[in-house]
Amino acid sequence: EKGGFDHFMLKEIFEQPTTIFDCLRGRLDASAGTIRMSGVDDNLDMLTNARRIIMVACGTSWHAGLVAEYVFEELCRIPVEVEYASEFRYRNPVIQTGDVIIAISQSGETADTLVAIDKAKEQGAFIFGVVNVVGSSIARVSHAGAHTHAGPEIGVASTKAFTAQLAVLYMIALKLGYAKGTIGMERYTHLINELHMVPEKVATVLESSSRIKELAEKYKDSTDFLYLGRGFNFPVALEGALKLKEISYIHAEGYPAAEMKHGPIALVEETLPVVFVATKDAYHEKLVSNAQEIKARRGKVVAVITEDDPVFTEIADDTMSVPAADELIAPMLGVIPLQLLAYYIGLAKGLDVDKPRNLAKSVTVE
Ligand code: F6R
C-alpha cells in the first residue's frame, strides 16, 4: 500500500506530479487557454464582487491560505485576510454581506475550521470550501467549493494536499482576476501555461532527492533551524519550518526574511542553519543581502534556488535547486525540497515520520 516506498510521507511527496496533474485535469486546458470550475462558474458574480475574502484554516492549510492572500491580492485586487480558524471562531469577527470565506482543509473535519465557517455562515458570509476529502463536514457546510483531488493523505504531515490546495487556489484567483479584468488575457494565458507545467517541474525537483538526503545527514544534529523567505515565498518558509518541527522534532522557525533584523538575527551563530527560500523573483537581490548578513555572522546558509543561480550558489553553504517558474507559481516548487529535507532528517534521526508523536491526522477536537 506504500507503493514500494518506505513511508506514506515519502510516497505522498513523490505522488505530487500525479496529484497536481489530477487536480488540474478537467479544469485547466492550456491549449484552449481556459479554466473550468463549476463551483466558481456557478457563483461568479458573488465571487468577483466580493468586498473581501477571508481564508480560514489551520496548520499547513493556513499556509496555503497565506500564499493565496498574496496571489489573490495581486491578480484580483480583492482585499484578503488569512485567519487561524481557532482565533477567528472565538473573537466575534466582523462579517458583512459581500464577504466571502474560503475554508481550506485537507480532511474537511478540522473542528476549529468547521465551527468557524458555521458561525460565519450564520452571519451571512458566502462559504467556499477547498477540501480534499469528498463528502466531509466542511465540504457539506460550504455553499460551493472545489475539491483538491489529491487522493487519501495518510502521512500525518500534509504534503500533497498542500500543493493541490495551491493549485486550486491559483485556478480560482486566475478565473476571478480574468473575469474582473484585473489581469489581461496575456498574463492569464501565461499563468495557465505556468500551472500546466508544474507537474513536470515537480518531477524534476524529485529527481534530486538523493542530494537532499545527503544534506539531511549533514544537518540532522542541528538543534535549531531558521527558515526565511519573502513575498510569495514567505509562506513557504513557514511551511518548511512546520514540516521540520513535526517530522524531526527540531526546533524551527519561519520568518519573513526582512524581519530577521528585528530579532531572530540574535540567534545566528556557527551552528545555526538558515534555510532561504530564494527562487528568482522580484525580491532576489534583497535575499542575497539577507544571506550575506547571515554569512557575516558565521551562520550556515542553505538555500532553495532556481537552477543556474551563480550568485546564491556562491554565498550558500548548500543549495537545493528547482526549475525556473513565474514567481507566483514558485511556491509549488520551492516547498518540495523542504518536504524532502524534513522527511530525510526525520529518517536520519530514526523517527516515526508517518506518525510523529503527539500529532493526529485530523484534529476533530478543539
Ligand atoms: C501539518 C498538518 C496540520 C494540518 C492542520 C489542518 O503537516 O498536517 O497542520 O494542516 O491540522 O488540517 P486540515 O487541512 O485537515 O484542516
Side-chain angles (χ1 to χ4, degrees), residues 87-330:
E87 288 296 316
F88 186 73
R89 67 180 274 199
Y90 283 112
R91 73 149 197 278
N92 191 16
V94 181
I95 312 272
Q96 288 164 334
T97 26
D99 282 344
V100 167
I101 299 221
I102 301 187
I104 309 166
S105 177
Q106 187 288 124
S107 62
E109 301 297 345
T110 300
D112 281 326
T113 309
L114 183 58
V115 177
I117 61 173
D118 252 336
K119 281 190 150 179
K121 194 178 172 182
E122 275 169 27
Q123 293 179 54
F126 183 79
I127 317 289
F128 190 97
V130 175
V131 173
N132 195 41
V133 178
V134 177
S136 59
S137 306
I138 293 171
R140 281 186 280 117
V141 166
S142 301
H143 294 107
H147 285 113
T148 43
H149 298 310
E153 192 179 61
I154 312 287
V156 163
S158 191
T159 54
K160 63 175 181 172
F162 178 73
T163 45
Q165 288 165 346
L166 292 183
V168 164
L169 292 162
Y170 284 126
M171 286 191 284
I172 300 170
L174 279 168
K175 283 183 71 70
L176 300 190
Y178 189 56
K180 277 175 68 103
T182 44
I183 52 167
M185 166 79 109
E186 202 174 315
R187 193 159 187 212
Y188 179 69
T189 314
H190 167 71
L191 288 170
I192 284 180
N193 275 311
E194 284 281 325
L195 264 181
H196 173 71
M197 289 185 294
V198 167
E200 206 180 299
K201 290 180 183 176
V202 169
T204 306
V205 180
L206 293 170
E207 283 166 18
S208 64
S209 65
S210 56
R211 155 96 187 116
I212 297 171
K213 193 173 182 184
E214 283 167 23
L215 288 187
E217 291 291 338
K218 177 168 169 187
Y219 290 101
K220 73 177 190 333
D221 296 318
S222 306
T223 53
D224 303 270
F225 271 74
L226 199 55
Y227 283 70
L228 301 175
R230 301 177 83 118
F232 301 105
N233 280 331
F234 156 54
V236 178
L238 296 185
E239 175 59 7
L242 178 62
K243 285 289 92 86
L244 189 71
K245 276 183 269 212
E246 290 180 291
I247 301 304
S248 73
Y249 312 151
I250 296 174
H251 169 241
E253 289 192 59
Y255 262 97
E259 272 294 303
M260 188 178 86
K261 294 187 198 61
H262 302 281
I265 199 163
L267 298 170
V268 178
E269 56 176 344
E270 238 169 308
T271 54
L272 182 77
V274 182
V275 180
F276 280 87
V277 188
T279 49
K280 276 198 190 138
D281 57 19
Y283 304 95
H284 192 255
E285 271 179 39
K286 294 190 185 296
L287 273 168
V288 167
S289 48
N290 294 144
Q292 281 162 338
E293 286 159 18
I294 299 293
K295 288 311 297 174
R297 288 158 185 84
R298 319 232 316 263
K300 298 281 178 289
V301 170
V302 181
V304 176
I305 58 167
T306 305
E307 46 194 27
D308 299 323
D309 178 349
V311 180
F312 233 101
T313 307
E314 173 76 29
I315 303 167
D317 293 275
D318 290 291
T319 58
M320 303 176 266
S321 66
V322 302
D326 189 282
E327 64 178 7
L328 262 85
I329 306 294

